[in-house]
């Protein structure tokens, strides 16, 4: 049976020492997030995930969901009770304003909880995760009546939410969608069409499901400019706020998937279903992007989460599995063989995962903190800078952390040898579940193109220049610190490679856009390597300060420093390879005739 322990101590280090959230007590909700409160919240969240969610992960994968003859869907045994424990614990509304039944706490605490939930049981965690995304869209674009009708019930957890974008003939290119909306004459619309790959589209865990559906109003412009977003509940809500008659929406079938078997991924049929416009007509993508940006950050967290749980199980196995002797002589002479963790290649593999996980967690929380600032600060300049950060870093978080999450799950599986290929050990599930994170909410190639094609040049490059200046200033300020020398030097080199790659695009992508397309994924990963290197710079500086304070933290901080040193020695040099690939241009990529493939 796989194991999982939520990384509470690492999160507390990040929130207390690296990005001290007490500095932001001027923001709404932050003054309530005292150190004791945060520690208590994380402790309770960890308990829920370790004791209730994690034990259902393997069994949920093996059982999967079942579509019944009447179109209803039954989730795996124990899922409904676990979901109810999550809802009753108030986790759904952790960061939702109090007027809608939430607790109004910082968003970054919800992001932490998303990691814990996604590590312990990704498929189960998707049900509340999608609901939280739908809540966000309703809070930003809903009318006062819509917010008060739907959000409190969703915060309570008795109703859940979904997002319905994809159709059989269109995924990324939503301008091709065919689902239509016809005005009913009473302010509602009749929604007709088919949506596919709808996560949590039908299930037995809530009394109502609030679908957010993209559709085209009759007579609307072609392409993305004619798309609107609609609220289409499974059951039409009565005047007293309770579910009434069934709506014209049903689950046609369940997708048979590689992973996340415990989540009901549905083909949803809309047959004149009653829906209500959310936001402005023909501006549905604007409203949906609130949910999609939330989802992209959450999916990046899922990549980290699968990497973390896979790593924990690989470490446990490597400390226990006896195989051969250390190259420098027996380390455990009292045993018939040494545990495999003594072998350099095993340690290289595990340290690579560990170094990425810790930097990725810092990146996620840094970005989540920026989200809180962007939405809660009263300072327009501060909000704009935070929003710039979110726009620039969201494709990096989603694309890089999910690519690495899958790679790391495979590396962790490799530690088990043949046992990793056997389902009972659970490593296969981590690999299979991690794979979807690279695909949904915008495949990672799209994330790379979004970064290179849109985010770099946005507002005259304001966001990327701010990032360059921040990392450059950190390097300059700490250049004379002998204790940081081993970290600052590689970070400076990585930053220089990133700046050179950016300049190369500026000089070569306008005349030939294929140069941007051919180098986009390498650029995204180059950016990710540098930003995680910057996270290590911040963590190492904080760890040195914490170690100097004493308080029994020396051993843990030494581990942090050694892991950071490994990142700089072994992973940061990859920036040079990425730069060389980018600078080679698109000629060899585009030269081969189509028929020669």
């Amino acid at each position: 049976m796989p194991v999982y322990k939520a990384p509470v101590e690492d999160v507390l280090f990040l929130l207390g020492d690296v990005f001290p959230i007490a500095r932001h007590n001027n923001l709404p909700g932050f003054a309530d997030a005292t150190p004791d409160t945060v520690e208590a919240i994380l402790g309770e969240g960890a308990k829920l995930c370790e004791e209730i969610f994690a034990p259902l992960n393997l069994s949920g994968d093996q059982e999967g969901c079942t579509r019944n003859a009447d179109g209803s869907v039954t989730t795996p045994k124990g899922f409904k009770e676990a979901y109810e424990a999550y809802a009753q614990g108030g986790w759904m509304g952790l960061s939702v304003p109090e007027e809608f039944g939430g607790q109004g706490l910082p968003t970054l605490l919800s992001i932490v909880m998303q990691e814990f939930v996604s590590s312990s049981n990704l498929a189960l965690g998707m049900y509340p995760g999608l609901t939280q995304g739908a809540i966000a869209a309703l809070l930003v674009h809903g009318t006062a009546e819509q917010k008060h009708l739907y959000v409190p019930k969703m915060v309570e957890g008795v109703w859940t939410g979904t997002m319905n974008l994809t159709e059989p003939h269109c995924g990324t290119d939503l301008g091709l969608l065919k689902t239509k909306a016809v005005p009913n004459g009473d302010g509602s619309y009749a929604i007709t069409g088919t949506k596919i790959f709808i996560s949590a589209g039908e299930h037995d865990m809530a009394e109502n499901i609030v679908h957010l559906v993209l559709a085209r109003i009759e007579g609307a412009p072609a392409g993305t400019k004619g798309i609107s977003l609609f609220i289409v509940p499974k059951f039409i809500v009565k005047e007293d706020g309770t579910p009434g008659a069934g709506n014209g929406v049903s689950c046609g079938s369940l997708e048979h998937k590689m992973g996340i078997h415990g989540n009901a991924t549905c083909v949803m049929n809309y047959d004149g279903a009653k829906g209500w416009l959310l936001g402005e007509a023909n501006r549905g993508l604007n409203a949906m992007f609130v949910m999609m940006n939330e989802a992209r950050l959450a999916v990046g967290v899922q990549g980290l989460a699968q990497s973390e749980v896979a790593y924990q199980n690989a470490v446990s196995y490597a400390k226990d599995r006896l195989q051969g002797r250390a190259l420098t002589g027996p380390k455990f002479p009292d045993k018939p063989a040494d545990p495999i963790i003594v072998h350099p290649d095993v340690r290289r593999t595990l340290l690579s995962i560990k170094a990425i996980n810790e930097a990725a967690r810092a990146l996620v929380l840094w970005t989540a903190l920026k989200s809180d600032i962007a939405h809660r600060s009263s300072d327009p300049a501060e909000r704009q800078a935070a929003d710039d950060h979110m726009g620039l870093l969201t494709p990096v978080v989603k694309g890089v952390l999910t690519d690495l999450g899958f790679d790391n799950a495979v590396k962790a599986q490799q530690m088990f040898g043949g046992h990793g290929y056997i389902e009972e050990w659970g490593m296969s599930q981590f690999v299979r579940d991690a794979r979807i994170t690279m695909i949904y909410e915008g495949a990672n190639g799209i994330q790379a193109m979004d970064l290179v094609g849109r985010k770099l040049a946005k507002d005259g490059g304001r966001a990327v220049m701010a990032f360059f200046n921040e990392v450059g200033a950190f390097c300059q300020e700490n250049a004379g610190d002998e204790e940081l020398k081993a970290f600052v030097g590689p970070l400076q080199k990585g930053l220089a490679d990133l700046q050179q790659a950016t300049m190369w695009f500026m000089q070569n992508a306008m005349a030939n856009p294929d140069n941007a397309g051919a180098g986009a994924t390498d650029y995204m990963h180059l950016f990710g390597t540098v930003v995680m290197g910057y996270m290590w710079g911040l963590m190492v500086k904080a760890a040195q300060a914490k170690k100097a304070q004493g308080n029994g933290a020396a051993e843990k901080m030494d581990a942090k420093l050694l892991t950071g040193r490994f990142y700089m020695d072994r992973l940061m040099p990859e920036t040079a390879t990425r730069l060389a690939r980018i600078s080679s241009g698109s000629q060899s990529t585009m030269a081969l005739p189509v028929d020669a493939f």
Side-chain angles (χ1 to χ4, degrees):
M1 173 70 73
V3 298
Y4 174 65
K5 181 173 176 58
V8 173
E9 284 190 13
D10 197 45
V11 172
L12 291 174
F13 169 68
L14 291 170
L15 299 184
D17 298 277
V18 183
F19 310 111
I21 61 172
R23 294 177 182 172
H24 301 280
N25 279 352
N26 61 309
L27 300 179
F30 274 72
D32 295 327
T34 64
D36 287 346
T37 299
V38 170
E39 188 168 355
I41 288 171
L42 298 186
E44 286 302 309
K47 185 177 179 181
L48 173 73
C49 293
E50 293 166 3
E51 298 180 5
I52 298 178
F53 274 45
L56 297 172
N57 194 40
L58 188 60
S59 61
D61 178 66
Q62 293 168 343
E63 181 182 346
C65 294
T66 304
R67 181 182 177 276
N68 305 308
D70 62 356
S72 65
V73 171
T74 303
T75 52
K77 183 180 179 181
F79 269 40
K80 185 175 182 179
E81 293 76 14
Y83 172 80
E84 288 173 353
Y86 180 96
Q88 291 169 9
W91 297 106
M92 195 80 74
L94 196 62
S95 304
V96 174
E98 293 179 60
E99 66 175 298
F100 299 107
Q103 299 170 55
L105 289 166
T107 299
L108 87 169
L109 294 181
S110 292
I111 298 296
V112 172
M113 190 61 182
Q114 283 182 1
E115 185 200 331
F116 294 178
V117 166
S118 297
S119 281
S120 60
N121 196 321
L122 177 58
L124 176 55
M126 289 172 66
Y127 294 94
L130 285 156
T131 304
Q132 288 164 327
I135 289 171
L138 283 162
L139 289 176
V140 173
H141 291 285
T143 64
E145 182 183 4
Q146 288 171 340
K147 292 176 189 178
H148 285 94
L149 183 63
Y150 295 104
V151 173
K153 290 287 189 181
M154 295 168 79
V155 168
E156 190 181 346
V158 294
W159 296 358
T160 59
T162 70
M163 55 192 298
N164 285 234
L165 288 75
T166 307
E167 299 182 5
H169 58 282
C170 75
T172 301
D173 190 354
L174 291 170
L176 299 175
L177 70 79
K178 296 178 180 177
T179 299
K180 66 179 181 179
V182 179
N184 286 324
D186 60 358
S188 68
Y189 292 78
I191 311 297
T192 302
T194 297
K195 300 288 185 176
I196 63 170
F197 306 155
I198 307 306
S199 301
E202 171 61 29
H203 56 80
D204 58 354
M205 297 195 293
E207 66 179 27
N208 205 359
I209 302 174
V210 181
H211 301 288
L212 299 189
V213 184
L214 285 179
R216 193 182 306 279
I217 298 173
E218 245 184 356
T224 56
K225 292 182 180 178
I227 297 175
S228 300
L229 183 62
F230 297 89
I231 303 169
V232 188
K234 176 181 176 180
F235 295 102
I236 295 172
V237 182
K238 296 188 294 188
E239 287 186 8
D240 64 359
T242 61
N247 208 350
V249 52
S250 61
C251 170
S253 65
L254 289 176
E255 306 286 4
H256 298 281
K257 313 183 298 286
M258 175 179 174
I260 52 169
H261 294 151
N263 192 268
T265 307
C266 304
V267 173
M268 300 300 298
N269 295 321
Y270 293 86
D271 185 13
K274 210 166 194 178
W276 288 264
L277 189 65
L278 177 59
E280 297 179 44
N282 301 330
R283 292 180 61 81
L285 282 185
N286 285 21
M288 183 59 86
F289 264 112
V290 172
M291 192 171 182
M292 288 181 69
N293 286 333
E294 291 254 342
R296 285 173 176 171
L297 180 58
V299 172
V301 173
Q302 291 176 355
L304 160 62
Q306 293 304 288
S307 180
E308 174 65 30
V309 68
Y311 165 77
Q312 290 187 18
N313 283 273
V315 168
S316 177
Y317 187 81
K319 289 179 178 179
D320 185 63
R321 174 70 170 178
L322 303 181
Q323 191 79 36
R325 289 295 187 185
L327 298 175
T328 52
K331 295 294 184 286
F332 293 81
D334 57 319
K335 296 182 178 180
D338 287 332
I340 63 173
I341 201 165
V342 304
H343 302 309
D345 195 59
V346 169
R347 295 173 69 88
R348 174 194 63 80
T349 301
L350 295 176
L351 269 169
S352 294
I353 306 173
K354 177 179 172 65
I356 288 169
N357 287 353
E358 293 185 22
R361 184 171 298 112
L363 173 57
V364 163
L365 295 191
W366 185 43
T367 304
L369 179 58
K370 296 292 187 182
S371 177
D372 275 317
I373 293 169
H375 291 101
R376 302 184 187 214
S377 175
S378 59
D379 182 342
E382 193 175 49
R383 285 201 310 272
Q384 183 183 77
D387 193 60
D388 285 350
H389 172 105
M390 290 289 293
L392 180 68
L393 269 296
T394 294
V396 177
V397 170
K398 196 283 182 185
V400 173
L401 299 196
T402 58
D403 276 354
L404 293 177
F406 176 74
D407 288 348
N408 288 343
V410 172
K411 289 176 181 176
Q413 182 188 39
Q414 185 75 11
M415 294 297 92
F416 286 70
H419 293 293
Y421 203 65
I422 303 301
E423 291 293 340
E424 68 188 80
W425 286 86
M427 300 307 290
S428 167
Q429 183 186 355
F430 300 141
V431 172
R432 289 184 286 102
D433 285 358
R435 187 65 184 88
I436 186 56
T437 65
M438 303 163 69
I439 298 170
Y440 59 17
E441 305 311 333
N444 286 354
I446 299 297
Q447 302 300 325
M449 283 302 299
D450 178 44
L451 175 64
V452 170
R454 294 179 62 244
K455 300 303 174 58
L456 291 185
K458 191 173 185 291
D459 300 312
R462 186 175 67 207
V464 74
M465 291 307 298
F467 174 77
F468 290 163
N469 290 337
E470 180 172 348
V471 180
F474 175 86
C475 293
Q476 188 173 357
E477 289 166 9
N478 296 285
D481 188 333
E482 282 299 314
E483 291 187 334
L484 283 173
K485 188 175 181 180
F487 303 93
V488 171
L491 180 57
Q492 282 180 312
K493 174 62 171 62
L495 177 62
D497 288 342
L498 180 59
Q499 290 171 316
Q500 190 175 336
T502 307
M503 184 62 67
W504 192 90
F505 279 140
M506 291 174 63
Q507 295 169 344
N508 295 278
M510 290 292 288
N512 183 4
D514 282 341
N515 284 326
T521 292
D522 277 303
Y523 184 87
M524 180 178 72
H525 278 276
L526 170 52
F527 207 121
T529 302
V530 172
V531 72
M532 287 195 286
Y534 178 45
M535 293 299 97
W536 269 115
L538 296 176
M539 287 190 290
V540 162
K541 190 169 184 178
Q544 289 176 340
K546 194 172 182 71
K547 182 180 176 181
Q549 294 170 3
N551 301 325
E555 186 176 341
K556 287 186 173 61
M557 293 304 103
D558 280 340
K560 187 73 69 177
L561 295 171
L562 289 169
T563 306
R565 181 64 182 266
F566 177 89
Y567 184 93
M568 292 301 179
D569 286 350
R570 302 296 297 246
L571 302 182
M572 184 60 82
E574 292 176 4
T575 61
T577 301
R578 300 285 185 185
L579 174 60
R581 290 175 181 165
I582 292 165
S583 303
S584 71
S586 62
Q587 186 174 356
S588 61
T589 302
M590 304 306 295
L592 192 67
V594 171
D595 290 344
F597 277 89

